[in-house]
Structure formats: C-alpha cells, structure tokens
C-alpha cells in the first residue's frame, strides 16, 4: 500500500507542521491536554512516521487517563525509535495502569539499568 503525502495534498510546508507542533506543545506546557491532543492527532495523521509526534500523542493520552490508547501510540513510537527512554517509561506506566503488571514490572526492572541516569 502506497502512503499518502498529506503535506503535498494540503500544500503544507515543513514550517507549518512545526507551527502546529509548537502550538500543541504550548498547550501541553499549560496543562491543556485536550487541546494539545487535537494538534498531535492532526500531526500524526499527516506524518505517522514522526516518532516525536507519535510518542507525544501517546504521552498525552496517558496524561488524560486513557492508558489503552496511550499504549497503542507508545508502541507505534517504539517501532520508530526502539530505545527512546521517556517513551519506555510512559509505556511502563501505561502497562501498570491497565493491569498488565507482569509486563510493566518487567519493563521497570529493565529501565533500572538504563544508560541515562534520569531514566534509570
């Protein structure tokens, strides 16, 4: 299946995506996760291979208490960037929240020896 280049269809430049990302992030900083969710859903629809946008959408869903949706996007993000520490931590939290304790605790144990001190 051929992927659709939404930026070309919409006539958007990279700078317009960056503007959407900036606005979405500004809403996250303000704690307005529902508004940020809208921006990052649009960004992921336009470019589903952007690991930053996918992992951020997963984190937003986690913040909104929608752990199953968060896990879906976090898993997608980890397919794009397998070792991204913050995404791994969010995945761990999502697993624990939805009751997948064995998998969540296993991941937490792995993260204890992560090379990045803030992650460990």
């Amino acid at each position: 299946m051929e992927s659709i280049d939404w930026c070309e269809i919409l006539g958007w430049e990279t700078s317009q995506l960056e503007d959407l990302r900036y606005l979405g992030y500004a809403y996250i900083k303000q704690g307005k996760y529902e508004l940020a969710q809208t921006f990052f859903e649009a960004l992921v629809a336009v470019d589903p291979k952007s690991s930053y946008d996918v992992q951020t959408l997963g984190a937003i869903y986690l913040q909104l208490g929608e752990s199953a949706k968060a896990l879906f996007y976090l898993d997608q993000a980890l397919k794009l960037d397998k070792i991204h520490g913050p995404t791994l931590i969010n995945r761990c939290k999502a697993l624990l929240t939805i009751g997948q304790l064995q998998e969540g605790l296993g991941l937490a144990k792995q993260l204890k020896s992560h090379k990045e001190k803030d992650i460990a």
Side-chain angles (χ1 to χ4, degrees):
M1 186 172 137
E2 190 176 321
S3 64
I4 298 171
D5 185 346
W6 285 106
C7 286
E8 184 178 326
I9 291 170
L10 297 169
W12 286 4
E13 301 288 327
T14 303
S15 64
Q16 289 165 305
L17 292 176
E18 289 172 4
D19 290 344
L20 286 176
R21 195 172 289 119
Y22 177 80
L23 287 170
Y25 185 72
Y27 283 124
I28 290 171
K29 287 177 59 173
Q30 295 174 33
K32 297 180 180 180
Y33 300 109
E34 292 86 2
L35 291 171
Q37 174 190 351
T38 303
F39 284 90
F40 281 95
E41 283 178 345
L43 286 162
V44 168
V46 170
D47 185 7
K49 293 193 186 321
S50 168
S51 62
Y52 175 80
D53 295 338
V54 177
Q55 66 201 15
T56 302
L57 183 56
I60 290 168
Y61 276 120
L62 191 59
Q63 202 60 38
L64 292 171
E66 296 185 46
S67 297
K69 281 186 179 179
L71 190 57
F72 172 80
Y73 286 104
L74 295 169
D75 284 344
Q76 296 301 312
L78 288 168
K79 288 178 184 174
L80 300 168
D81 183 358
K82 291 176 178 46
I83 60 169
H84 188 253
T87 302
L88 289 167
I89 287 176
N90 284 336
R91 185 175 193 278
C92 180
K93 182 177 178 182
L95 288 166
L96 294 171
T97 303
I98 62 173
Q100 292 186 11
L101 300 180
Q102 190 172 14
E103 191 176 353
L105 292 173
L107 180 54
K109 188 175 180 177
Q110 289 175 2
L111 289 172
K112 280 178 57 175
S113 60
H114 196 276
K115 65 181 179 180
E116 293 178 44
K117 181 181 173 186
D118 290 343
I119 301 301

